[in-house]
Amino acid sequence: MIYISRAKFKNPSVNAFIKQAQELFLPDQVYICDGSSEEDRWLKNKLVACGQLTPLNPKTFSDCFWTRSNPNDVARVEKFTVICSKDPGDAGPTNIHKDPTEMKKILGTLSAGGMKGRTMFVIPYCMGPIASKYSQVGVMVTDSEYVVINMNIMARVGQAVLDKLGASSDFVRGLHSVLDCNPERRWIAHFPEEDLIWSVGSGYGGNALLGKKCHALRIGSTRARRQGWMAEHMLIIKVKRPDGRAMYGTAAFPSACGKTNMAMLIPPAAYRQAGWEVTTIGDDIAWLNMGSDGRLYAINPEAGFFGVMSGTSEKTNPNFMHAVHRSSVLTNTAFNPDTREPWWEGMTDHDVYPPGLIDWRGNTYEIKKDENGKIIPAAHPNARGTVPAENCPSIDPQWDDPNGVPIDFILFGGRRTSGAPLVVQGRTWNEGVWLGATMSSEQTAAAEGKVGSLRFDPMAMLPFCGYHICDYFQHWLDMGKRLGDKAPKIFRINSFRKRGNSFLWPGFGENIRVLEWVFKRCMNEIDATESELGYMPRTTDINTEDLKLQPGVMEEMLNLDPDMLWDEMRQVDAQLLKFVSKLPAGLKEVHEQIKEHVAARVA
Ligand code: GTP
Ligand code: SPV
Ligand code: MN
């Protein structure tokens, strides 16, 4: 056995963990990462040499690489993502629970000798700025060089982390092996009582970059509840107004519903010229702690973005487009061998497939249609770019402030083609919690003009809450009580309402117009009308100048159709019924009140 440690540390708990992992996986080599750029370079060269990474055109994509994952391994797998708490009741109705002892037996058998002939990399990482008291250290082992180079972008990695940890045993342990990348031997298992993650059989995204969803959200949320803070699936932004005032806010939208885009929002020209500015603190995860002044402070636990490439263009998200051209890793996009550049659907206005294009599976692309007549894309729809946060032109100077930024507003939102209004504000914290707890999102195939079958995704945390969802709701209510009148204001927004096949709201940069109203509400500068769901703008309260909206569009986006609302209430009822044995009284009370108001309107 060869043991290489570039990092220097004296920590018996880390050593014990490495020894345990080594005895389990039986690698030929153990390599402890120091996170240096030389080490990163060496690993990338190694992957280029074996054909796993393709260097991109250095003139246009400097120090960037293209790679493809196993075609059976392209996204998070919720079916095999499990919470192994001792008591099944602690995982609750929204998680798949496995008995910890049994799961360890299964994983132990699968993992035994799984790294024979390979190197086991040990990655000491820190979620959050090294200097922040809110940050957390993790130590993960992996047999994937791809995971190491991605973790180097997504988290703070290496010597500085070990220095921060010192001799402490307080770190999240992560065991990861791709094994033979077999979907039938794939588990993403969490042991919240031991701060342990054990992931096998996948090498992609949230399944494998253990700092992200596994640590920062699933394990993180259980720690947050115990310790009185919040771990959320939220972007973090700063919004600056022409009068120089600034606000910080967070927004929770389900996966692929616009967080990265809003995090990097560029206001339209007239707004920019007037002095509006949005800067980015985070695009996917927020850790929220109560500061000594009683306000809620957010840090971004990540150091990079793992953003969806499909649909990303100079038009929709110029900031991310710019950021991805330097020191990034592109996974499962297509590749243009002529220009040596990556390619994906929606990169330009109209998809013009370059000749000789290599698709995400590594084959020469041919335009083919599926059984519904839809073009089979060349880039995988979940193709992602791993990008250092500091690449982003809109990155806020305070994005890595150890104290975090004080939060004024929280947005919830999903993809709703009908029914859900452009924006509504909870009258109280608890009503805001209800807006988040009952939020839902539609699949794009939802029937036009009808309330489709809604997929509920409370606070966009359905796949990420590591404990009983009702305890999570209660934790939200408790946080509100502690924050009192210093609590952020809560809103629910929807940029995806449609008429026929087209979106009613232009979204993207134009969402600044909604943020403008949110800003005014937080500053107590504008009153609102009251609806069954909460405070809403009058149709003239949202600035639509230069938008050329069709007549009646704002009315439509702010209209709550009573029948649709009632239908939604019944679906919310059915949803909450699943949690009935443990639904917090505070939430139930709000729900009954809102339902009563809706019922009165329908009657
Ligand atoms: P995860 O990284 O999976 O958590 O996703 P995300 O929430 O960061 O979503 P992202 O910003 O990557 O957006 C996903 C898709 O929604 C992309 O195809 C975007 O082009 C599209 N999208 C984002 N914002 C808007 C919007 O305001 N309006 C419309 N119509 N589409 C949007
Ligand atoms: C999400 O699915 O919400 C993501 C991508 O941000 S992953 O890192 O794979 O979870
Ligand atoms: Mn996400």
Side-chain angles (χ1 to χ4, degrees):
M1 224 281 303
I2 305 165
Y3 185 95
I4 305 166
S5 180
R6 292 181 49 117
K8 291 180 182 41
F9 65 101
K10 263 193 206 144
N11 182 312
S13 314
V14 172
N15 278 328
F17 174 62
I18 295 171
K19 183 158 179 278
Q20 211 182 359
Q22 180 206 323
E23 284 167 3
L24 171 71
F25 290 118
L26 300 176
D28 285 9
Q29 261 194 68
V30 174
Y31 180 100
I32 320 236
C33 302
D34 72 352
S36 63
S37 46
E38 300 81 60
E39 180 182 275
D40 189 62
R41 179 77 27 221
W42 164 70
L43 284 168
K44 283 172 176 163
N45 287 342
K46 204 167 133 182
L47 290 179
V48 169
C50 71
Q52 254 197 70
L53 279 189
T54 304
L56 292 167
N57 187 333
K59 287 206 185 85
T60 50
F61 283 83
S62 118
D63 191 29
C64 294
F65 298 86
W66 177 63
T67 184
R68 299 180 292 106
S69 71
N70 190 314
N72 77 30
D73 186 27
V74 293
R76 283 184 295 104
V77 282
E78 293 181 10
K79 270 197 310 203
F80 304 111
T81 299
V82 297
I83 302 294
C84 310
S85 45
K86 283 191 195 112
D87 179 352
D90 288 343
T94 55
N95 282 310
I96 300 173
H97 175 263
K98 293 281 176 195
D99 177 77
T101 312
E102 273 168 40
M103 198 62 220
K104 278 188 185 168
K105 228 184 263 166
I106 295 170
L107 289 164
T109 309
L110 290 174
S111 304
M115 294 189 191
K116 271 187 194 155
R118 297 182 197 175
T119 300
M120 180 173 93
F121 296 93
V122 180
I123 314 175
Y125 66 89
C126 181
M127 299 312 288
I130 299 273
S132 175
K133 63 176 181 209
Y134 304 130
S135 295
Q136 292 181 18
V137 170
V139 178
M140 74 171 284
V141 304
T142 181
D143 51 5
S144 160
E145 285 89 352
Y146 172 84
V147 166
V148 181
I149 62 170
N150 276 273
M151 283 294 287
N152 281 346
I153 300 174
M154 296 306 295
R156 283 93 175 163
V157 167
Q159 188 63 51
V161 179
L162 290 163
D163 294 345
K164 178 185 168 88
L165 186 65
S168 166
S169 61
D170 183 20
F171 58 92
V172 170
R173 287 142 175 88
L175 298 168
H176 174 253
S177 173
V178 182
L179 300 179
D180 57 350
C181 201
N182 183 337
E184 284 168 24
R185 287 192 281 276
R186 186 169 290 162
W187 291 103
I188 323 298
H190 305 74
F191 300 82
E193 284 122 354
E194 298 167 59
D195 285 339
L196 172 71
I197 303 154
W198 195 339
S199 161
V200 295
S202 163
Y204 194 57
N207 299 334
L209 310 177
L210 300 190
K212 196 173 176 53
K213 296 309 187 349
C214 299
H215 177 162
L217 288 180
R218 294 195 197 94
I219 296 289
S221 62
T222 66
R223 290 186 138 196
R225 180 189 173 220
R226 283 202 302 272
Q227 300 164 356
W229 53 281
M230 306 164 92
E232 300 296 333
H233 191 203
M234 289 174 170
L235 66 91
I236 313 166
I237 47 172
K238 178 181 186 179
V239 183
K240 213 170 91 195
R241 266 197 331 193
D243 63 3
R245 287 179 190 272
M247 272 191 184
Y248 296 93
T250 65
F253 312 147
S255 303
C257 287
K259 285 184 301 304
T260 299
N261 277 273
M262 179 170 280
M264 299 175 192
L265 184 153
I266 298 182
Y271 271 76
R272 281 201 311 277
Q273 279 148 19
W276 284 87
E277 192 188 15
V278 175
T279 43
T280 311
I281 290 123
D283 85 322
D284 197 51
I285 300 175
W287 281 357
L288 304 152
N289 281 272
M290 214 168 115
S292 51
D293 60 358
R295 296 183 68 190
L296 195 60
Y297 283 78
I299 63 160
N300 173 8
E302 302 190 278
F305 309 120
F306 187 64
V308 177
M309 293 319 303
S310 294
T312 300
S313 70
E314 280 301 338
K315 233 183 200 163
T316 59
N317 193 344
N319 280 317
F320 195 52
M321 271 310 255
H322 178 96
V324 83
H325 281 73
R326 203 171 77 239
S327 310
S328 67
V329 177
L330 288 126
T331 310
N332 292 343
T333 62
F335 174 71
N336 181 345
D338 281 346
T339 58
R340 302 196 64 78
E341 288 178 346
W343 191 95
W344 55 86
E345 276 76 11
M347 190 170 90
T348 48
D349 264 0
H350 301 284
D351 291 338
V352 180
Y353 289 86
L357 190 68
I358 309 291
D359 69 14
W360 69 273
R361 292 171 184 270
N363 302 321
T364 304
Y365 182 70
E366 276 174 70
I367 298 184
K368 278 195 199 131
K369 291 184 177 170
D370 65 12
E371 61 278 8
N372 301 317
K374 261 187 76 183
I375 291 180
I376 298 171
H380 190 279
N382 194 37
R384 300 250 171 185
T386 321
V387 179
E390 61 237 3
N391 274 13
C392 184
S394 64
I395 200 75
D396 190 89
Q398 266 183 292
W399 82 274
D400 57 355
D401 189 324
N403 297 316
V405 293
I407 297 303
D408 298 290
F409 62 86
I410 294 173
L411 311 181
F412 291 116
R415 211 176 259 276
R416 292 283 304 272
T417 55
S418 63
L422 182 63
V423 59
V424 57
Q425 178 189 0
R427 271 171 292 235
T428 58
W429 174 270
N430 283 10
E431 287 196 20
V433 172
W434 180 89
L435 287 172
T438 61
M439 74 189 241
S440 54
S441 209
E442 278 158 20
Q443 309 295 337
T444 41
E448 278 166 32
K450 270 197 216 153
V451 174
S453 181
L454 303 178
R455 196 175 63 92
F456 283 85
D457 188 348
M459 281 86 171
M461 281 288 279
L462 188 69
F464 307 120
C465 180
Y467 60 102
H468 197 299
I469 197 80
C470 291
D471 291 331
Y472 171 75
F473 294 154
Q474 185 62 55
H475 184 50
W476 265 86
L477 299 175
D478 294 344
M479 286 299 294
K481 215 177 239 164
R482 278 174 60 203
L483 290 160
D485 58 6
K486 292 186 174 145
K489 304 280 184 281
I490 305 181
F491 300 79
R492 189 159 82 188
I493 69 162
N494 175 30
S495 317
F496 296 92
R497 202 136 153 176
K498 278 186 171 178
R499 189 190 278 171
N501 273 329
S502 36
F503 289 110
L504 283 175
W505 183 243
F508 299 101
E510 306 294 352
N511 281 327
I512 191 72
R513 298 166 190 271
V514 176
L515 293 175
E516 182 177 16
W517 186 75
V518 165
F519 206 124
K520 284 187 195 154
R521 288 295 301 163
C522 291
M523 300 287 290
N524 270 322
E525 292 171 347
I526 191 170
D527 56 9
T529 62
E530 287 204 34
S531 76
E532 292 76 7
L533 298 179
Y535 297 127
M536 287 179 65
R538 289 169 294 256
T539 52
T540 50
D541 288 343
I542 306 264
N543 178 19
T544 55
E545 214 175 298
D546 305 327
L547 272 189
K548 302 192 188 85
L549 291 185
Q550 301 273 320
V553 161
M554 189 49 78
E555 285 74 7
E556 192 171 334
M557 286 189 301
L558 293 176
N559 175 43
L560 294 177
D561 178 84
D563 293 327
M564 278 192 187
L565 205 52
W566 183 243
D567 193 39
E568 182 173 339
M569 279 310 135
R570 288 188 9 221
Q571 296 190 52
V572 172
D573 265 341
Q575 174 69 8
L576 295 184
L577 202 62
K578 292 182 193 157
F579 311 147
V580 73
S581 61
K582 232 183 154 177
L583 196 66
L587 195 60
K588 210 168 149 193
E589 196 181 305
V590 171
H591 178 63
E592 292 307 328
Q593 268 167 22
I594 290 176
K595 212 172 90 183
E596 218 169 90
H597 290 149
V598 175
R601 176 118 173 263
V602 184

